[in-house]
Amino acid sequence: MLKPLIAALALCLYLPLAAMAQRLALSFDDGYDPDKLPNARALNNQLLKALKDNEIKSILFAAGSRVDSQEGMNLVGKWLEQGHQVGNHSYSHLNLDEKQVSLDRYLSDMERNEDVLSRLPSWSRRYRFPYLKEGNTEAKRDGVRQWLSAHGYGSGAVSIDASDWYYDQRLRAWMVRHPGESPQAFKQPYIRHLLDRAAYYAQLARQAMGREIDHVLLLHTNTINAMFLDDVISALRDAGWTFIPPEQAYADAVYQEAPDTLPAGESIVWSLAKKQGLPGLRHPAESEQYEKPRLDALGL
Ligand SMILES: [Zn+2]
């Protein structure tokens, strides 16, 4: 009598986990800079191919300083041609938390990027804060929020933050030290890092929101993603994630939240958790300082 009951209970406990589809949109920051990367076009094509092969629609938050050239804009235009969106990531990629960055200077830099984006056939009024920094003072934080709302912007927030940029930096340095060799050894550590961060922010969201949310992952247009995005997508799918377009993720009410923390920013989930005083939050939430020892230990 007891055994079937236990089996049934175990099944009940197991099923919700197995059936719990966690949904995720991919977003990419910056845009490939053809003035700095001789292979910008090839990298852009590789990244877009991985998205296309996996039938995933994404959003590129383009910073004018990286793409304000004919070729740069051609590469951004490819994203639109393939059904992705393009959002605003400011022109000069300023850090709003820095004391010397005034509200006026920051706002005019955001507007300057609108001029760049307006040369495209279309762009989406979503703003991604460079470094996810949303202001070190109330005046700056609220000033930018008011500007965004007055200019009809929707959220460009991130729920899952990670250090793909640091893995990319290490990969490129390794490639310089090992000319002609394949950097495949980076693949598994990189995938492990992203799976770990996705799982972390998913559980933090459950704690902070009391429910499952639709996630937005922050990645960058860089070399490591051009190389491994296809494998990253497979690994996320194997871990139970399903992919949705950014517009669908941003329809989740969590992206309407504007926590009044200072300094403001980081992932929306982290920021809500901080506001609620949840224990154990790292600050900074993500940083090379956490990843360096792992890659050093692997000799990468
Ligand atoms: Zn950026």
Side-chain angles (χ1 to χ4, degrees):
M1 202 55 195
L2 198 59
K3 253 189 188 168
L5 187 66
I6 290 172
L9 263 175
L11 197 66
C12 285
L13 287 172
Y14 175 75
L15 270 180
L17 278 177
M20 191 170 58
Q22 295 188 296
R23 301 193 298 183
L24 171 69
L26 297 180
S27 67
F28 293 86
D29 282 11
D30 299 343
Y32 287 108
D33 183 348
D35 293 338
K36 294 216 175 93
L37 293 163
N39 59 342
R41 176 166 282 255
L43 295 174
N44 196 56
N45 286 341
Q46 259 176 280
L47 196 61
L48 286 171
K49 183 178 186 305
L51 291 172
K52 189 177 185 182
D53 289 350
N54 288 282
E55 298 180 346
I56 292 173
K57 294 297 182 220
S58 177
I59 182 165
L60 168 66
F61 288 96
S65 55
R66 317 280 165 98
V67 299
D68 188 5
S69 60
Q70 194 173 345
E71 174 66 352
M73 292 303 277
N74 285 342
L75 300 185
V76 174
K78 297 260 178 231
W79 287 69
L80 291 171
E81 282 168 25
Q82 299 200 17
H84 305 291
Q85 294 184 308
V86 173
N88 190 350
H89 191 40
S90 83
Y91 189 90
S92 310
H93 211 271
L94 298 172
N95 181 339
L96 187 57
D97 280 5
E98 282 178 7
K99 281 198 186 75
Q100 66 271 27
V101 175
S102 70
L103 176 61
D104 282 353
R105 180 177 164 209
Y106 193 85
L107 292 178
S108 49
D109 194 65
M110 292 165 79
E111 272 183 55
R112 184 179 176 194
N113 206 45
E114 287 193 338
D115 295 341
V116 174
L117 297 176
S118 67
R119 305 207 302 262
L120 296 165
S122 70
W123 62 279
S124 303
R125 289 186 171 266
R126 294 196 180 280
Y127 184 72
R128 170 70 48 82
F129 287 86
Y131 316 102
L132 304 182
K133 301 303 182 199
E134 299 187 29
N136 59 325
T137 67
E138 205 176 303
K140 283 159 75 175
R141 180 193 72 199
D142 295 349
V144 175
R145 284 181 183 174
Q146 276 156 24
W147 186 94
L148 287 169
S149 135
H151 287 74
Y153 276 74
S155 173
V158 159
S159 67
I160 304 172
D161 189 8
S163 297
D164 71 320
W165 59 273
Y166 181 67
Y167 281 76
D168 177 66
Q169 193 178 302
R170 292 285 294 251
L171 173 130
R172 285 182 292 113
W174 185 95
M175 287 169 81
V176 169
R177 294 198 309 274
H178 301 82
E181 288 180 47
S182 161
Q184 285 298 312
F186 279 85
K187 187 163 86 182
Q188 286 314 322
Y190 180 51
I191 286 175
R192 265 202 303 279
H193 169 64
L194 293 181
L195 288 180
D196 174 66
R197 292 297 83 200
Y200 169 74
Y201 285 99
Q203 73 70 26
L204 193 60
R206 275 177 227 123
Q207 271 181 277
M209 296 294 290
R211 64 176 176 89
E212 206 66 54
I213 65 165
D214 283 341
H215 286 275
V216 177
L217 170 65
L218 165 61
L219 294 172
H220 292 83
T221 50
N222 53 27
T223 302
I224 201 165
N225 288 323
M227 279 184 166
F228 300 138
L229 185 63
D230 203 51
D231 303 288
V232 165
I233 290 168
S234 300
L236 282 163
R237 282 191 168 135
D238 289 348
W241 291 92
T242 59
F243 291 90
I244 54 175
E247 283 309 301
Q248 196 181 331
Y250 282 128
D252 191 308
V254 70
Y255 300 101
Q256 302 298 321
E257 302 271 354
D260 59 353
T261 51
L262 278 177
E266 310 285 330
S267 128
I268 183 73
V269 169
W270 190 93
S271 184
L272 288 165
K274 184 184 173 195
K275 173 76 188 154
Q276 294 174 22
L278 294 185
L281 296 178
R282 305 192 298 201
H283 191 267
E286 303 300 328
S287 158
E288 65 181 81
Q289 75 200 57
Y290 312 125
E291 310 310 322
K292 185 177 185 299
R294 299 178 212 271
L295 290 171
D296 286 350
L298 293 167
L300 292 172

